Amino acid sequence: MQSAASCLTDLAGRDLLSCADLSAEQTEALLSLAADFKQGRRRVDLGGRALGLIVLKASTRTRVSFSVAMGRLGGQVIDLDPAVSQVGRGEPVADTARVLSRFVDALAIRTFAQAEVEDYAHWASIPVINALTDLEHPCQALADYLTLKEGFGELRGLTLSYVGDGNNVAHSLMLCGALLGVNVRVGCPAGYEPDAAILKRSQSLAASRGAVVEVLHEPVAAVRGAQALYTDVWASMGQEDEKESRQQAFAGWCLNEELLAEADPRAIVLHCLPAYRGLEISAGVMEGSASRVFDQAENRLHAQQALLAALLGGL
């Protein structure tokens, strides 16, 4: 088995487009490094290297956490705001990626289509990070499992129940959880299941780690006995015209006090934010003693600091 140090040095120069781009050992090593950064046990100096940040979807946490993470690593961020750069004016990805590879040391991209980050990775000669697409949100999953590790120590054998739309967050939770040996349940109404190919891939990875990934269509069954309950907005960016129909479809799926009572008494509550209290989560649960939502938000910073240090060869 590889040491944690060699797992991380092997990531230098690599892309992160999906949680499945990492091995189980690399995922665990990144979480340990993130914890070290958070507790002040590790320092890395990237010597002024630059991260290009391309944000095509509205962002608070992604923009700020990547910027602060690079700053703490001794680097800088070039915010390629599409409103004031050629990124938003139709220049081909092939051209943009090759030019930016001459200027910056890595790219973090928050956009709609997974194919776009894959195109950037194909044409760029520097690491490309998926900072969110409609298919996956790997940086969020790293922060989520760091939060779960803080709460319980050992991750293997825990159960995380995600209640809501089978979206990008659910996909990354499934894949990352499978690598870590976490049982992942996705609870959703019929018709809102995760992508079938990602479900199959995550189930295969989970089986190799002694875990189970499953989809359930009844909220109480989905959360019963789980150590972590997780939810997200029912209508993601780009689905605004479905907001009303989704609210009807998800009636009865609110993560509220009654649902929380069905979980493990030690259960923690997670939400990747922004949250709509009274819809996917009740105000009482969001602000209650089980909530780790704001620790989870902070952990985006530490997880991304670890990822950047590894991909940029700072270890």
Side-chain angles (χ1 to χ4, degrees), residues 142-158:
L142 289 172
D144 299 338
Y145 285 107
L146 175 59
T147 311
L148 194 57
K149 186 175 181 178
E150 289 174 337
F152 294 93
E154 176 61 39
L155 288 172
R156 197 161 187 168
L158 295 178

PDB file of all heavy atoms in Angstrom, residues 142-158:
ATOM      1  N   LEU A 142     -15.331  16.389  -1.053  1.00  0.00           N
ATOM      2  CA  LEU A 142     -14.162  16.317  -0.177  1.00  0.00           C
ATOM      3  C   LEU A 142     -14.421  17.072   1.125  1.00  0.00           C
ATOM      4  O   LEU A 142     -14.085  16.584   2.219  1.00  0.00           O
ATOM      5  CB  LEU A 142     -12.930  16.888  -0.886  1.00  0.00           C
ATOM      6  CG  LEU A 142     -12.364  16.047  -2.031  1.00  0.00           C
ATOM      7  CD1 LEU A 142     -11.275  16.827  -2.773  1.00  0.00           C
ATOM      8  CD2 LEU A 142     -11.807  14.710  -1.520  1.00  0.00           C
ATOM      9  N   ALA A 143     -15.021  18.242   1.035  1.00  0.00           N
ATOM     10  CA  ALA A 143     -15.357  19.012   2.237  1.00  0.00           C
ATOM     11  C   ALA A 143     -16.385  18.285   3.087  1.00  0.00           C
ATOM     12  O   ALA A 143     -16.316  18.291   4.328  1.00  0.00           O
ATOM     13  CB  ALA A 143     -15.873  20.390   1.839  1.00  0.00           C
ATOM     14  N   ASP A 144     -17.342  17.636   2.439  1.00  0.00           N
ATOM     15  CA  ASP A 144     -18.402  16.923   3.162  1.00  0.00           C
ATOM     16  C   ASP A 144     -17.830  15.768   3.974  1.00  0.00           C
ATOM     17  O   ASP A 144     -18.174  15.583   5.146  1.00  0.00           O
ATOM     18  CB  ASP A 144     -19.437  16.395   2.175  1.00  0.00           C
ATOM     19  CG  ASP A 144     -20.119  17.496   1.385  1.00  0.00           C
ATOM     20  OD1 ASP A 144     -20.128  18.654   1.857  1.00  0.00           O
ATOM     21  OD2 ASP A 144     -20.625  17.204   0.283  1.00  0.00           O
ATOM     22  N   TYR A 145     -16.957  14.987   3.344  1.00  0.00           N
ATOM     23  CA  TYR A 145     -16.407  13.833   4.063  1.00  0.00           C
ATOM     24  C   TYR A 145     -15.368  14.253   5.091  1.00  0.00           C
ATOM     25  O   TYR A 145     -15.168  13.555   6.097  1.00  0.00           O
ATOM     26  CB  TYR A 145     -15.886  12.787   3.080  1.00  0.00           C
ATOM     27  CG  TYR A 145     -17.039  12.044   2.443  1.00  0.00           C
ATOM     28  CD1 TYR A 145     -17.399  12.268   1.114  1.00  0.00           C
ATOM     29  CD2 TYR A 145     -17.814  11.164   3.187  1.00  0.00           C
ATOM     30  CE1 TYR A 145     -18.489  11.615   0.544  1.00  0.00           C
ATOM     31  CE2 TYR A 145     -18.902  10.508   2.631  1.00  0.00           C
ATOM     32  CZ  TYR A 145     -19.231  10.734   1.314  1.00  0.00           C
ATOM     33  OH  TYR A 145     -20.319  10.088   0.765  1.00  0.00           O
ATOM     34  N   LEU A 146     -14.721  15.400   4.907  1.00  0.00           N
ATOM     35  CA  LEU A 146     -13.877  15.949   5.960  1.00  0.00           C
ATOM     36  C   LEU A 146     -14.730  16.277   7.184  1.00  0.00           C
ATOM     37  O   LEU A 146     -14.345  15.990   8.327  1.00  0.00           O
ATOM     38  CB  LEU A 146     -13.159  17.207   5.453  1.00  0.00           C
ATOM     39  CG  LEU A 146     -12.316  17.972   6.480  1.00  0.00           C
ATOM     40  CD1 LEU A 146     -11.224  17.089   7.074  1.00  0.00           C
ATOM     41  CD2 LEU A 146     -11.700  19.214   5.838  1.00  0.00           C
ATOM     42  N   THR A 147     -15.912  16.839   6.952  1.00  0.00           N
ATOM     43  CA  THR A 147     -16.820  17.174   8.052  1.00  0.00           C
ATOM     44  C   THR A 147     -17.307  15.917   8.761  1.00  0.00           C
ATOM     45  O   THR A 147     -17.391  15.866   9.994  1.00  0.00           O
ATOM     46  CB  THR A 147     -18.028  17.969   7.517  1.00  0.00           C
ATOM     47  OG1 THR A 147     -17.563  19.038   6.686  1.00  0.00           O
ATOM     48  CG2 THR A 147     -18.862  18.536   8.655  1.00  0.00           C
ATOM     49  N   LEU A 148     -17.606  14.876   7.994  1.00  0.00           N
ATOM     50  CA  LEU A 148     -18.042  13.615   8.585  1.00  0.00           C
ATOM     51  C   LEU A 148     -16.902  12.984   9.396  1.00  0.00           C
ATOM     52  O   LEU A 148     -17.128  12.442  10.496  1.00  0.00           O
ATOM     53  CB  LEU A 148     -18.501  12.674   7.472  1.00  0.00           C
ATOM     54  CG  LEU A 148     -19.311  11.432   7.867  1.00  0.00           C
ATOM     55  CD1 LEU A 148     -20.565  11.809   8.636  1.00  0.00           C
ATOM     56  CD2 LEU A 148     -19.677  10.622   6.638  1.00  0.00           C
ATOM     57  N   LYS A 149     -15.694  13.084   8.880  1.00  0.00           N
ATOM     58  CA  LYS A 149     -14.530  12.542   9.599  1.00  0.00           C
ATOM     59  C   LYS A 149     -14.313  13.282  10.914  1.00  0.00           C
ATOM     60  O   LYS A 149     -13.955  12.673  11.935  1.00  0.00           O
ATOM     61  CB  LYS A 149     -13.297  12.636   8.711  1.00  0.00           C
ATOM     62  CG  LYS A 149     -12.064  11.978   9.293  1.00  0.00           C
ATOM     63  CD  LYS A 149     -10.895  11.999   8.311  1.00  0.00           C
ATOM     64  CE  LYS A 149      -9.688  11.309   8.904  1.00  0.00           C
ATOM     65  NZ  LYS A 149      -8.541  11.274   7.961  1.00  0.00           N
ATOM     66  N   GLU A 150     -14.508  14.596  10.898  1.00  0.00           N
ATOM     67  CA  GLU A 150     -14.374  15.372  12.133  1.00  0.00           C
ATOM     68  C   GLU A 150     -15.390  14.925  13.175  1.00  0.00           C
ATOM     69  O   GLU A 150     -15.114  14.936  14.377  1.00  0.00           O
ATOM     70  CB  GLU A 150     -14.560  16.862  11.841  1.00  0.00           C
ATOM     71  CG  GLU A 150     -13.413  17.489  11.081  1.00  0.00           C
ATOM     72  CD  GLU A 150     -13.678  18.931  10.687  1.00  0.00           C
ATOM     73  OE1 GLU A 150     -14.865  19.333  10.602  1.00  0.00           O
ATOM     74  OE2 GLU A 150     -12.694  19.662  10.451  1.00  0.00           O
ATOM     75  N   GLY A 151     -16.567  14.541  12.723  1.00  0.00           N
ATOM     76  CA  GLY A 151     -17.622  14.152  13.650  1.00  0.00           C
ATOM     77  C   GLY A 151     -17.465  12.751  14.203  1.00  0.00           C
ATOM     78  O   GLY A 151     -17.850  12.480  15.350  1.00  0.00           O
ATOM     79  N   PHE A 152     -16.905  11.832  13.397  1.00  0.00           N
ATOM     80  CA  PHE A 152     -16.918  10.426  13.790  1.00  0.00           C
ATOM     81  C   PHE A 152     -15.546   9.753  13.785  1.00  0.00           C
ATOM     82  O   PHE A 152     -15.438   8.612  14.228  1.00  0.00           O
ATOM     83  CB  PHE A 152     -17.871   9.641  12.873  1.00  0.00           C
ATOM     84  CG  PHE A 152     -19.304  10.038  13.042  1.00  0.00           C
ATOM     85  CD1 PHE A 152     -19.866  11.007  12.224  1.00  0.00           C
ATOM     86  CD2 PHE A 152     -20.088   9.475  14.026  1.00  0.00           C
ATOM     87  CE1 PHE A 152     -21.198  11.397  12.388  1.00  0.00           C
ATOM     88  CE2 PHE A 152     -21.413   9.848  14.201  1.00  0.00           C
ATOM     89  CZ  PHE A 152     -21.972  10.814  13.382  1.00  0.00           C
ATOM     90  N   GLY A 153     -14.527  10.412  13.274  1.00  0.00           N
ATOM     91  CA  GLY A 153     -13.199   9.789  13.220  1.00  0.00           C
ATOM     92  C   GLY A 153     -13.097   8.842  12.043  1.00  0.00           C
ATOM     93  O   GLY A 153     -12.794   9.261  10.936  1.00  0.00           O
ATOM     94  N   GLU A 154     -13.353   7.582  12.266  1.00  0.00           N
ATOM     95  CA  GLU A 154     -13.295   6.573  11.218  1.00  0.00           C
ATOM     96  C   GLU A 154     -14.515   6.695  10.307  1.00  0.00           C
ATOM     97  O   GLU A 154     -15.658   6.760  10.764  1.00  0.00           O
ATOM     98  CB  GLU A 154     -13.253   5.170  11.844  1.00  0.00           C
ATOM     99  CG  GLU A 154     -13.293   4.033  10.860  1.00  0.00           C
ATOM    100  CD  GLU A 154     -12.108   4.038   9.897  1.00  0.00           C
ATOM    101  OE1 GLU A 154     -10.984   4.344  10.329  1.00  0.00           O
ATOM    102  OE2 GLU A 154     -12.327   3.714   8.716  1.00  0.00           O
ATOM    103  N   LEU A 155     -14.273   6.744   8.988  1.00  0.00           N
ATOM    104  CA  LEU A 155     -15.375   6.896   8.035  1.00  0.00           C
ATOM    105  C   LEU A 155     -15.953   5.560   7.587  1.00  0.00           C
ATOM    106  O   LEU A 155     -17.167   5.446   7.376  1.00  0.00           O
ATOM    107  CB  LEU A 155     -14.885   7.664   6.797  1.00  0.00           C
ATOM    108  CG  LEU A 155     -14.610   9.147   6.988  1.00  0.00           C
ATOM    109  CD1 LEU A 155     -13.955   9.731   5.736  1.00  0.00           C
ATOM    110  CD2 LEU A 155     -15.890   9.901   7.314  1.00  0.00           C
ATOM    111  N   ARG A 156     -15.109   4.571   7.448  1.00  0.00           N
ATOM    112  CA  ARG A 156     -15.543   3.297   6.883  1.00  0.00           C
ATOM    113  C   ARG A 156     -16.649   2.680   7.743  1.00  0.00           C
ATOM    114  O   ARG A 156     -16.521   2.564   8.964  1.00  0.00           O
ATOM    115  CB  ARG A 156     -14.361   2.342   6.774  1.00  0.00           C
ATOM    116  CG  ARG A 156     -14.609   1.165   5.856  1.00  0.00           C
ATOM    117  CD  ARG A 156     -13.295   0.536   5.428  1.00  0.00           C
ATOM    118  NE  ARG A 156     -13.507  -0.480   4.416  1.00  0.00           N
ATOM    119  CZ  ARG A 156     -12.551  -1.031   3.702  1.00  0.00           C
ATOM    120  NH1 ARG A 156     -11.304  -0.633   3.890  1.00  0.00           N
ATOM    121  NH2 ARG A 156     -12.809  -1.954   2.809  1.00  0.00           N
ATOM    122  N   GLY A 157     -17.736   2.311   7.098  1.00  0.00           N
ATOM    123  CA  GLY A 157     -18.856   1.688   7.794  1.00  0.00           C
ATOM    124  C   GLY A 157     -19.946   2.645   8.209  1.00  0.00           C
ATOM    125  O   GLY A 157     -21.036   2.219   8.607  1.00  0.00           O
ATOM    126  N   LEU A 158     -19.690   3.966   8.126  1.00  0.00           N
ATOM    127  CA  LEU A 158     -20.740   4.943   8.415  1.00  0.00           C
ATOM    128  C   LEU A 158     -21.767   4.950   7.295  1.00  0.00           C
ATOM    129  O   LEU A 158     -21.498   4.504   6.180  1.00  0.00           O
ATOM    130  CB  LEU A 158     -20.138   6.342   8.572  1.00  0.00           C
ATOM    131  CG  LEU A 158     -19.182   6.584   9.745  1.00  0.00           C
ATOM    132  CD1 LEU A 158     -18.652   8.013   9.698  1.00  0.00           C
ATOM    133  CD2 LEU A 158     -19.876   6.318  11.074  1.00  0.00           C
TER     134      LEU A 158
END
